[in-house]
Amino acid sequence: MYVRQATKPIPPCVAGELDERRHLPDGAIVDTDYTWYEIEGVRTLTRDATAYLPDGSVVHAKTTDQAADGSGRIRVVPLAIDELVALVTDPELRISAPVPPGTSSPPEVCLRFSKTGAVIDQALARRWNAVLAQIPLDGVPLDRPLGALLQGERGRGVCQAVHVSTPGLQSRLAIVISTEQPLPQESDTSSYGGARRRLPDGTLVETREVRSAAPASTPRTDRTVTVTHPSGTQVAISFADAPAELLPLAQFEEIALNPGLEVS
């Protein structure tokens, strides 16, 4: 589901591209479709509705008979077409709807690509969230606490990005966790701004710290730590425009090597 500002005219109603176009009394136009697609002999049923609303909002909702974690079919499409229409025309979902006082800003989308690896189910993501929420980050002014991982495309890989507000500049801290990642077999090496070492259990730890290109009154760095376990679990943490006094690489490593973030 998404809600956005319309940037193009309402598309024409073309037979074969949608099942029905509804013109509602308030001027809203809603397109609906009930269809299916098939990949390698597996058929997926889908229903969707797109509303073009008088205030310039475009609201789209889609539902399928595929389980949310990608594990298989749930044998029924959860919402009927009329329920989807009611959802996309809800006045509270329009861009002009007032934001309730105290509402925090939406989380940043931080995994824009299709991460390879196994599908990460909600139970595992919740377990990782609980671990991240308990990590002490005293003195680091985050705009929201860690422990709210978002799934990437098709559920492969999870991530969270937060902002760190310090005088003169806002920094960005992100963590990405994925599974079934290949473990590099090259010998330990180091390069400009980066280093690689292997732990006794075979875990590979890669670190990098370079001068940030962002203008600032005091030096800032871009820091990354990537930990890849023999199990295939990979934890990558990045801190862009990082103040020198906050979260050194050693602390990054401690977070990324937390045993609660690994899938054995």
Side-chain angles (χ1 to χ4, degrees), residues 4 19 33 79 144 151 189 231 243:
R4 61 174 173 80
D19 288 339
D33 194 27
L79 297 175
R144 65 186 70 228
Q151 283 194 329
T189 60
S231 66

Side-chain angles (χ1 to χ4, degrees), residues 60-75:
H60 174 81
K62 179 179 179 179
T63 184
T64 78
D65 66 342
Q66 187 176 36
D69 61 3
S71 60
R73 306 271 80 75
I74 56 177
R75 300 183 183 275

